[in-house]
Amino acid sequence: MFRKLSLFLCSLILVLTIFSLNTFYHDQAAVRTFRNHAARNRKLTNKTIQQYLNGSENERENARNLLIHTTLKNMNYEKWLDYQEYIDLLLYTADIMPGSGEELIIVLNLSKDLAVAAVYRSLNQEYVFIHSLENLLPVEKIEFFLIPDLGYQTLNIYQILDERLGAYILEKFVESYGWISGRWQSLWKKTVYMEEIYNQQWINPQSSRDQWIKIVEDNEIRFLQQPNPQIHVTIKRSKLTAVKKQLPMPEDFRLQERIQAHEFYHWSTRFQRYILKEGTLEECTTPVAIIQDLETSVESYLGFISKAYKVTYLNGKTGYIHKDRLSIK
């Protein structure tokens, strides 16, 4: 009897161990935390962080190099190690994931077209790399915003798209990211400031090559806590024109039109993101959330009118729906 009981208990422990290890190895955060916790040269110490924040000029420089070097290796970006003296570093602490305590966020602006962010968790007076946000554009700053529904903060990342050498585009925008369903997801995105220049012939082949259009957008964006998180956007958009054989200088443009509009987004617990409104597809009553009105887009301002909404479904997929097919709540 005792032998049977012992065999049963051993079998039960073995099954539970296998199940626990299976869960562990399918949890990428746990795997990454374990791997980096075991490798001392992949961790950051509180001392290094304090030296970067409050140390002497020499201590700050040494700490900066160590932060960049360690983060590049943690993210498998070793090819950038030779350029670390040119890499811009931003450092933040905030509660951005489930669990107690704040995470350390290190942003590396690698080039004019690429930035990454590494997330570290504090363990035993050290910081261990656990996650990353990649394929960002150069980051100006990050602001953190609490979503009570989630219980932690989201990241409002202000980025820059600078294509003035080829495509005549300069855009500064903010994109909100949150840890949802075990991964980083984009929750909302909006232009803060934009200058874009078009040759009229690119839009209408029958037009003169000497006709140029410049669109300037300078928006005011406010994240409001309220009872339920909201985003208020005041859109300020201008159209200017110029006549020039070559790309016009700023002083060559003359104002032709100016508009101002307002957009109000709110956090949706159901869709786990910021939305304008909810609705249903009339032919099948499928619930959707409106995340953009294409009639207010820059393309519409240039004459490409689209009476459609950009929508998201409950499964997170996005698409475009003509306004006539949607019943808005």
Side-chain angles (χ1 to χ4, degrees):
M1 180 67 181
F2 177 76
R3 184 179 180 183
K4 290 183 178 180
L5 180 60
S6 298
L7 288 173
F8 173 77
L9 290 174
C10 289
S11 300
L12 180 62
I13 291 171
L14 180 61
V15 170
L16 291 175
T17 301
I18 293 173
F19 176 78
S20 299
L21 287 174
N22 183 66
T23 302
F24 173 81
Y25 282 110
H26 281 82
D27 183 343
Q28 295 302 310
V31 172
R32 199 175 285 118
T33 299
F34 176 80
R35 183 173 61 242
N36 286 289
H37 188 62
R40 285 202 61 83
N41 64 337
R42 296 296 182 95
K43 293 185 289 187
L44 299 171
T45 65
N46 282 329
K47 181 180 178 181
T48 300
I49 304 302
Q50 291 308 312
Q51 285 180 336
Y52 177 75
L53 294 174
N54 305 307
S56 64
E57 183 176 348
N58 187 56
E59 288 175 331
R60 280 180 54 83
E61 183 61 23
N62 289 336
R64 172 193 174 277
N65 291 335
L66 181 57
L67 292 173
I68 293 174
H69 184 90
T70 303
T71 298
L72 288 174
K73 291 185 73 67
N74 281 332
M75 298 186 65
N76 297 320
Y77 276 60
E78 285 90 347
K79 67 179 182 180
W80 291 94
L81 289 171
D82 292 338
Y83 307 98
Q84 65 183 55
E85 64 180 298
Y86 306 106
I87 293 173
D88 182 37
L89 180 147
L90 303 173
L91 185 149
Y92 301 90
T93 56
D95 181 11
I96 59 172
M97 296 181 67
S100 60
E102 294 184 329
E103 284 73 35
L104 173 73
I105 303 100
I106 293 181
V107 177
L108 301 181
N109 287 324
L110 302 176
S111 71
K112 68 176 287 294
D113 300 311
L114 182 64
V116 294
V119 180
Y120 291 80
R121 176 158 286 170
S122 179
L123 288 173
N124 301 323
Q125 303 301 309
E126 294 178 310
Y127 288 97
V128 180
F129 172 71
I130 56 171
H131 281 289
S132 63
L133 284 85
E134 301 184 52
N135 299 316
L136 301 172
L137 287 168
V139 176
E140 280 191 304
K141 63 178 180 178
I142 298 179
E143 294 179 350
F144 301 93
F145 191 73
L146 175 65
I147 303 292
D149 180 45
L150 299 177
Y152 45 88
Q153 295 171 301
T154 54
L155 299 84
N156 296 330
I157 305 182
Y158 291 78
Q159 302 170 62
I160 303 174
L161 169 65
D162 190 346
E163 299 291 350
R164 285 174 291 181
L165 293 179
Y168 318 121
I169 299 172
L170 171 64
E171 182 184 12
K172 298 182 179 182
F173 64 92
V174 56
E175 187 162 9
S176 181
Y177 294 87
W179 184 257
I180 309 288
S181 301
R183 64 187 180 92
W184 296 107
Q185 297 191 38
S186 176
L187 310 176
W188 184 79
K189 181 180 177 181
K190 196 69 175 179
T191 297
V192 177
Y193 180 83
M194 185 265 293
E195 289 185 14
E196 194 163 4
I197 298 175
Y198 305 84
N199 186 287
Q200 183 70 43
Q201 205 170 66
W202 302 344
I203 302 170
N204 181 2
Q206 307 304 317
S207 299
S208 168
R209 293 182 58 185
D210 298 342
Q211 299 287 329
W212 296 84
I213 298 173
K214 180 178 183 179
I215 304 296
V216 177
E217 193 162 310
D218 190 5
N219 298 331
E220 178 185 328
I221 299 173
R222 293 185 296 156
F223 290 85
L224 304 175
Q225 202 66 62
Q226 304 287 354
N228 184 43
Q230 298 179 8
I231 307 173
H232 292 188
V233 181
T234 300
I235 298 173
K236 301 175 183 178
R237 190 179 294 151
S238 302
K239 179 191 291 185
L240 303 93
T241 59
V243 179
K244 206 80 172 180
K245 292 187 179 298
Q246 303 297 327
L247 180 67
M249 300 296 288
E251 59 270 18
D252 295 326
F253 285 96
R254 298 291 180 267
L255 179 65
Q256 296 297 319
E257 186 180 352
R258 179 180 289 139
I259 65 166
Q260 181 168 311
H262 300 276
E263 292 178 339
F264 302 94
Y265 299 83
H266 67 273
W267 176 259
S268 170
T269 300
R270 189 182 191 191
F271 287 91
Q272 293 286 276
R273 62 166 299 144
Y274 294 103
I275 67 172
L276 287 166
K277 295 177 181 179
E278 288 191 32
T280 55
L281 297 180
E282 291 190 341
E283 63 268 27
C284 58
T285 67
T286 300
V288 297
I290 299 170
I291 56 178
Q292 184 184 4
D293 183 346
L294 297 186
E295 282 195 272
T296 66
S297 67
V298 171
E299 290 76 17
S300 180
Y301 200 49
L302 288 168
F304 300 103
I305 305 298
S306 177
K307 293 186 178 296
Y309 292 120
K310 183 177 182 180
V311 301
T312 185
Y313 300 87
L314 288 172
N315 62 7
K317 292 184 178 180
T318 60
Y320 297 90
I321 300 295
H322 194 279
K323 292 184 175 183
D324 290 344
R325 293 180 54 203
L326 204 61
S327 175
I328 299 176
K329 293 184 178 180

